[in-house]
Amino acid sequence: MAINRALAIALHLSLAAAFSPPPSHHAAIRQRQTLALSVASSSTPLTSSPTNEEDRDPSWWKDFQLNDSTLAPSVLNDFPILSTQFDLDGKISQDGNKRLVYLDSAATSQKPTAVTDALTRYYEHANSNVHRGAHALSREATEQYESARDKVTSFINASSRNEIVFTSGATEAINLVATSLSHTCGRAPSNSRDLYLAEGDEIVITESEHHSNIVPWQMVAERTGAVLKYVPACSITGGFDLEAFEELIGPNTKFVSVQHVSNVLGNINPVDEIVKIVRSEAHPGAKIMLDACQSVPHMKVDVQSLGVDFIAASGHKMCGPTGIGFLWGKESILNSLAPYKGGGEMIDQVYMDHSTYAPAPARFEAGTPAIAQAIGLGAAIDYITEIGMDRIHDYEVELADYLRRRLDDVKGVTVLGPPVGTDRAALCAFVSEVVHPSDLGTFLDVEGVAIRAGHHCCQPLHRALGYSHSARASLYFYNTKEDVDEFIKALEETLKFFGSLGGDAGEDEAESGDDDAFVPLF
């Protein structure tokens, strides 16, 4: 690893102010995870490989082969960006000696040429506003835009195309529902059929949620006087605590909003059990929303079988463009929500003293929509559907387990979330005893390895686990076993380097527990 001497000295100085948690905290987390694996009788091993570190050959991974080893190689040419190369300084270069290893798909996926070509075709051959013109371009743009809605409808098995509302992303989808339920600030709406939240109503979320599924509900509680409750993260893995959840659900529970898959822990939440508890113990009119950002791109999601009332998803995490996502909601419920924004397209009749509104989905799509982005999302759905969601899911399950076990072999690394051998999504967040995640991410970037470092918009969860930040490697169907191996190699070299600099310096400061005071070098 080529490291500038001056940079190394600067790093040594930055490490003098060591950060919490101390090594003993990491050891305690690993011990609890081992205990969790031994008592999790309901967990199903994903592979027959030994999970005990003492039983496993340290070089086991060299002979390991994926069952569907042809998937990723067969699609790599569809993603030109994955052929990016870097020089010795980590700069993009056509003559570089290192290739891109992209392990940040939980933040955003890469885009195949099928999607970028669809965007170009729209702008070059069909660019026009939708729903508003009788000319040929407008008709063509409208047909492509509404065709994308049909593709989403089929992809998640919605009952009707009227249940799909295009949004700028999952964040807007959640805010749409939250704002609609609180627009009267807790007062009964003039239309008695409109759904709303009032003082004393209870909203239940979890401590593990992404900020976009926390902050909107805090705003709702402030506007309406509703009570916001949360399920504490499991003290062992950070995962979903069904017993604690059931204790919070009662006759005043009017809304529940939870992740389908955690973007930090990778655990898949027990939706069937969650729905069963809410339907049997909450208010009869209680509604359930699922943040499906980390599930829709990676597994089959059938909204009719889930039993929830809403899901929110992002297009850019499923090979689609940025700036597009969707809200799915049962049609009758959508038509019981007040409009989110006012303007053109969402109206029925407008008078100078009042207006009436179009039914869903139009009532929630005021103004000129993200036409090109929706068409790109439709192209992305065509692309991943052709590969097959079952195939994508099965491949990622195996690759995720391989990543988890490789990380488990890295000395000084603590992986957050479910232990080895339990079902998880294709991502692993982790922390190290010797390097801050931000510095780790910077050094891996020099080696061509792209990961995410930070709190991943989950500050409450990190606090619950005793950390302020973590590093995260996340996979998609275009990643290979070799990607994981190159990541692990670069990770081990980086940890070895930082370990040689850090030593035991700052151990007293580390015990102070003030990780928020640590400022990473980069």
Side-chain angles (χ1 to χ4, degrees):
M1 183 181 294
I3 299 176
N4 182 279
R5 179 176 176 80
L7 177 60
I9 294 172
L11 281 167
H12 184 72
L13 293 174
S14 77
L15 285 167
F19 47 87
S20 71
S24 58
H25 179 78
H26 297 264
I29 291 289
R30 287 195 294 272
Q31 185 177 17
R32 296 209 308 266
Q33 288 178 339
T34 301
L35 175 62
L37 180 59
S38 68
V39 301
S41 58
S42 61
S43 298
T44 304
L46 299 176
T47 71
S48 58
S49 302
T51 57
N52 189 307
E53 189 173 331
E54 296 179 357
D55 295 339
R56 191 160 63 209
D57 181 350
S59 60
W60 64 271
W61 57 272
K62 295 180 180 179
D63 298 322
F64 178 84
Q65 292 186 346
L66 297 167
N67 289 326
D68 189 1
S69 58
T70 63
L71 174 53
S74 71
V75 303
L76 285 179
N77 288 339
D78 297 337
F79 297 86
I81 198 170
L82 296 180
S83 63
T84 301
Q85 294 183 324
F86 302 91
D87 61 21
L88 290 175
D89 295 324
K91 296 179 180 178
I92 296 174
S93 171
Q94 292 183 348
D95 301 318
N97 62 340
K98 290 173 288 190
R99 69 178 183 89
L100 170 66
V101 176
Y102 186 76
L103 302 179
D104 196 22
S105 292
T108 195
S109 66
Q110 294 302 340
K111 321 305 176 192
T113 52
V115 171
T116 55
D117 287 350
L119 294 172
T120 300
R121 282 195 303 272
Y122 165 74
Y123 280 122
E124 291 184 349
H125 302 291
N127 182 45
S128 181
N129 215 326
V130 294
H131 306 146
R132 299 177 182 178
H135 57 78
L137 285 180
S138 181
R139 292 197 304 271
E140 179 62 25
T142 299
E143 181 178 344
Q144 291 187 31
Y145 177 75
E146 292 299 338
S147 175
R149 196 188 309 275
D150 292 332
K151 291 173 183 179
V152 176
T153 302
S154 175
F155 188 68
I156 63 171
N157 193 32
S159 298
S160 166
R161 67 189 314 275
N162 295 332
E163 297 182 334
I164 306 301
V165 178
F166 284 128
T167 63
S168 64
T171 298
E172 186 182 32
I174 295 171
N175 275 274
L176 186 161
V177 175
T179 303
S180 294
L181 290 172
S182 60
H183 78 288
T184 63
C185 298
R187 299 184 301 273
S190 57
N191 187 339
S192 60
R193 293 176 296 177
D194 285 355
L195 297 176
Y196 72 104
L197 290 170
E199 185 175 1
D201 291 342
E202 294 176 357
I203 306 163
V204 177
I205 60 174
T206 81
E207 196 172 21
S208 303
E209 301 302 318
H210 189 281
H211 293 163
S212 60
N213 202 25
I214 297 176
V215 179
W217 303 113
Q218 292 174 337
M219 293 177 172
V220 169
E222 184 175 354
R223 281 195 295 265
T224 64
V227 178
L228 180 62
K229 296 184 174 182
Y230 69 89
V231 182
C234 173
S235 60
I236 297 176
T237 65
F240 200 94
D241 189 332
L242 269 175
E243 290 185 5
F245 176 73
E246 187 166 13
E247 289 179 0
L248 290 180
I249 302 299
N252 292 326
T253 304
K254 288 288 191 69
F255 206 91
V256 173
S257 191
V258 297
Q259 295 170 319
H260 195 177
V261 174
S262 170
N263 67 307
V264 174
L265 305 171
N267 60 292
I268 302 168
N269 284 335
V271 176
D272 289 347
E273 289 87 345
I274 291 170
V275 171
K276 182 179 179 181
I277 291 170
V278 174
R279 298 306 184 210
S280 62
E281 301 182 27
H283 186 279
K287 302 296 183 283
I288 306 171
M289 169 169 269
L290 208 58
D291 172 359
C293 284
Q294 300 295 339
S295 58
V296 166
H298 304 282
M299 63 181 73
K300 273 189 175 179
V301 171
D302 183 334
V303 295
Q304 294 192 57
S305 66
L306 283 173
V308 300
D309 302 292
F310 304 97
I311 73 166
S314 296
H316 72 95
K317 298 181 191 295
M318 53 189 290
C319 294
T322 54
I324 190 70
F326 64 88
L327 169 71
W328 167 82
K330 294 178 180 177
E331 188 170 2
S332 61
I333 297 176
L334 288 176
N335 286 323
S336 298
L337 291 177
Y340 172 51
K341 293 184 288 188
E345 291 292 303
M346 51 75 67
I347 55 89
D348 174 28
Q349 297 291 324
V350 176
Y351 303 92
M352 291 312 297
D353 58 350
H354 73 283
S355 297
T356 57
Y357 309 119
R363 73 161 56 196
F364 302 110
E365 295 182 4
T368 298
I371 304 168
Q373 292 89 334
I375 292 169
L377 174 58
I381 289 174
D382 287 342
Y383 180 81
I384 59 179
T385 299
E386 184 175 354
I387 296 171
M389 289 308 298
D390 285 335
R391 186 183 183 193
I392 288 173
H393 176 254
D394 291 346
Y395 177 77
E396 289 186 15
V397 165
E398 190 176 19
L399 192 62
D401 185 58
Y402 179 69
L403 170 64
R404 178 66 177 84
R405 289 189 290 128
R406 288 298 320 265
L407 280 169
D408 203 49
D409 288 341
V410 179
K411 184 178 179 181
V413 163
T414 300
V415 180
L416 309 181
V420 171
T422 53
D423 198 8
R424 72 179 301 128
L427 62 89
C428 287
F430 60 96
V431 291
S432 166
E433 301 170 3
V434 299
V435 58
H436 192 280
S438 296
D439 290 342
L440 175 62
T442 299
F443 266 68
L444 291 179
D445 177 58
V446 173
E447 298 304 306
V449 179
I451 66 166
R452 181 74 33 174
H455 51 65
H456 318 303
C457 295
C458 290
Q459 288 180 329
L461 173 59
H462 278 82
R463 290 193 193 99
L465 296 176
Y467 303 102
S468 66
H469 306 80
S470 64
R472 184 184 68 193
S474 54
L475 309 167
Y476 209 6
F477 60 87
Y478 43 62
N479 288 117
T480 64
K481 173 184 179 292
E482 290 70 29
D483 287 342
V484 175
D485 293 338
E486 290 192 31
F487 159 60
I488 295 296
K489 178 182 177 182
L491 174 63
E492 290 178 329
E493 290 177 351
T494 302
L495 294 179
K496 182 178 179 181
F497 171 76
F498 274 91
S500 69
L501 290 178
D504 295 326
E507 185 170 327
D508 292 339
E509 291 92 337
E511 296 292 342
S512 70
D514 187 16
D515 192 24
D516 288 329
F518 176 79
V519 179
L521 182 63
F522 302 102

